[in-house]
């Protein structure tokens, strides 16, 4: 274990937003319980658990060269959780914050498939709780129009082949999102809020890792089927959307997703655009 990781492991202060005391009643995860009866052959075979880290994606990246495919990093709290497009990911006690190191033999250009597989697994896991979770392009899981889960995939490639990918999944599980910072409060929900009671996080993580392994194993031969299931759960198709890219903003109607998961938009000016990345906002009308 390197010095940075040791330091993070020893850091037991619930410092998240100064609200640690509010979240204290959520019991810690016990890694041995997650692995007990976990019937996977790759994902979660090795679990590294921390009470607090800056970001599980960063911890996973720092050890990626030395660990096996499927190694999973889990923490109770992230003090510098990272979201897409350089955003902060608010990660207090009670959530599920984990990153999976993946070493598939695939071209780096296909890494988006891992995100789609993870999004599908996360949406299915949440739906198993009889919650009508949907996917918002490209990879948010929403309930109604509120976000409950986000996915951040980061890759490391050499000669256009993937060396490894880190798939980070954040689920607002047993969190009172009314305590979230104002700028995300109205756009966020949690499983606890939706169900009216807290969930067993160990059970959820087991289901998520098992579900993700199922998608991961069929990624090579059955990606079109994964994509079809993902499309079926996609809330974005048919909606008026605004896409924000660093270079441009696009307004139009999302008419579908192509075979690489890119969003097809009929723009207000009549042109058809294919969008591979960016922030997607569903218009309320
Ligand atoms: C997003 O929707 O912007 C992506 C959010 C991803 C959050 C998860 S939580 C676990 C992992 N570690 C991080 O720092 N980020 C991801």
């Amino acid at each position: 274990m390197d010095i940075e990781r040791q330091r993070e492991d020893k850091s037991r202060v619930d410092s998240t937003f100064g609200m640690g005391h509010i979240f204290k009643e959520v019991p810690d995860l016990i890694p041995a319980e997650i692995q007990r009866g976990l019937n996977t052959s790759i994902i979660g075979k090795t679990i590294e658990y921390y009470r607090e880290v800056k970001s599980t994606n960063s911890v996973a990246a720092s050890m990626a060269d030395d660990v096996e495919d499927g190694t999973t990093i889990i923490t109770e709290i992230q003090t510098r959780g990272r979201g897409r497009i350089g955003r902060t990911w608010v990660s207090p006690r009670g959530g599920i914050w984990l990153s999976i190191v993946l070493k598939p033999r695939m071209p780096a250009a296909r890494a988006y498939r891992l995100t789609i597989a993870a999004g599908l697994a996360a949406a299915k896991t949440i739906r198993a709780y009889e919650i009508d979770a949907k996917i918002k392009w490209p990879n948010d899981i929403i309930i109604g129009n509120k976000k409950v889960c986000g996915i951040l995939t980061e890759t490391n490639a050499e000669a256009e082949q993937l060396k490894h990918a880190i798939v980070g999944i954040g689920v607002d599980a047993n969190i009172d999102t009314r305590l979230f910072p104002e700028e995300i409060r109205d756009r966020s929900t949690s499983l606890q809020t939706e169900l009216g009671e807290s969930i067993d996080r160990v059970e959820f993580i087991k289901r998520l890792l098992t579900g993700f392994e199922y998608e991961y194993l069929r990624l090579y031969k059955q990606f079109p089927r994964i994509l079809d299931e993902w499309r079926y759960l996609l809330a974005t198709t048919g909606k008026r959307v605004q896409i924000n890219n660093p270079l441009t903003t696009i307004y139009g109607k999302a008419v579908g997703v192509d075979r690489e998961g890119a969003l097809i938009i009929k723009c207000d000016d009549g042109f058809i655009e294919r969008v591979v990345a960016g922030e997607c906002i569903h218009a309320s009308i």
Side-chain angles (χ1 to χ4, degrees):
M1 194 183 274
D2 63 36
I3 289 167
E4 177 71 353
R5 282 169 53 209
Q6 279 182 29
R7 192 163 60 77
E8 288 183 326
D9 191 44
K10 288 206 184 94
S11 154
R12 305 210 162 162
V13 187
D14 295 347
S15 55
T16 321
F17 316 110
M19 297 192 296
H21 60 287
I22 295 171
F23 297 106
K24 271 243 165 63
E25 71 269 22
V26 180
D28 277 1
L29 293 164
I30 300 170
E33 279 186 11
I34 297 171
Q35 277 180 319
R36 190 175 309 136
L38 178 67
N39 214 357
T40 55
S41 56
I42 303 169
I43 309 295
K45 282 304 271 182
T46 304
I47 292 180
E48 292 255 356
Y49 168 81
Y50 299 88
R51 288 206 163 75
E52 179 176 311
V53 294
K54 288 178 185 156
S55 156
T56 53
N57 265 38
S58 304
V59 173
S62 74
M63 63 172 69
D65 286 342
D66 307 319
V67 298
E68 58 186 355
D69 193 18
T71 298
T72 301
I73 319 302
I74 300 180
T75 192
E76 303 288 349
I77 295 170
Q78 294 185 121
T79 54
R80 287 206 196 159
R82 295 189 284 111
R84 290 175 60 241
I85 339 176
R87 295 201 169 127
T88 297
W89 182 260
V90 178
S91 318
R93 178 174 290 279
I96 292 168
W97 324 123
L98 61 85
S99 299
I100 307 168
V101 179
L102 299 170
K103 300 188 168 180
R105 286 166 60 89
M106 73 165 48
R110 287 200 177 156
Y112 70 89
R113 294 184 174 194
L114 300 169
T115 311
I116 287 177
L120 179 61
K124 282 180 172 175
T125 304
I126 295 171
R127 289 177 71 81
Y129 289 76
E130 297 187 0
I131 294 173
D132 191 20
K134 294 267 172 68
I135 299 164
K136 179 163 86 74
W137 188 92
N139 54 18
D140 293 348
I141 311 301
I142 55 171
I143 302 171
N145 55 7
K146 295 186 171 187
K147 183 159 167 172
V148 68
C149 165
I151 295 163
L152 176 67
T153 302
E154 296 176 305
T155 57
N156 188 331
E158 209 170 72
E160 293 175 22
Q161 284 297 308
L162 209 55
K163 262 179 80 190
H164 65 250
I166 312 290
V167 172
I169 305 176
V171 185
D172 294 332
N174 296 336
I175 291 177
D176 184 346
T177 47
R178 287 172 304 180
L179 303 171
F180 268 7
E182 202 181 331
E183 58 283 10
I184 57 166
R185 196 179 302 152
D186 295 342
R187 294 183 277 120
S188 310
T189 188
S190 68
L191 300 179
Q192 179 180 281
T193 302
E194 297 297 323
L195 292 167
E197 60 185 5
S198 58
I199 61 147
D200 178 342
R201 288 185 303 155
V202 168
E203 186 56 37
F204 187 96
I205 292 169
K206 279 187 189 179
R207 291 182 187 195
L208 178 62
L209 299 181
T210 307
F212 182 59
E213 176 161 296
Y214 173 72
E215 309 302 344
Y216 188 52
L217 290 176
R218 66 180 183 143
L219 203 58
Y220 295 94
K221 292 194 174 149
Q222 296 181 21
F223 181 67
R225 282 171 73 168
I226 293 177
L227 195 59
D228 276 348
E229 287 185 32
W230 185 83
R231 268 197 195 101
Y232 181 74
L233 294 179
L234 192 68
T236 308
T237 307
K239 292 234 164 47
R240 275 201 58 76
V241 293
Q242 175 183 334
I243 307 289
N244 297 327
N245 277 321
L247 295 178
T248 169
T249 301
I250 298 170
Y251 298 93
K253 183 177 174 186
V255 291
V257 163
D258 74 8
R259 59 186 198 168
E260 291 181 332
L263 192 63
I264 308 301
I265 301 185
K266 184 159 194 282
C267 300
D268 291 348
D269 60 12
F271 284 98
I272 301 288
E273 287 268 8
R274 176 180 185 271
V275 183
V276 296
E279 179 196 28
C280 172
I281 299 168
H282 289 177
S284 47
I285 45 149

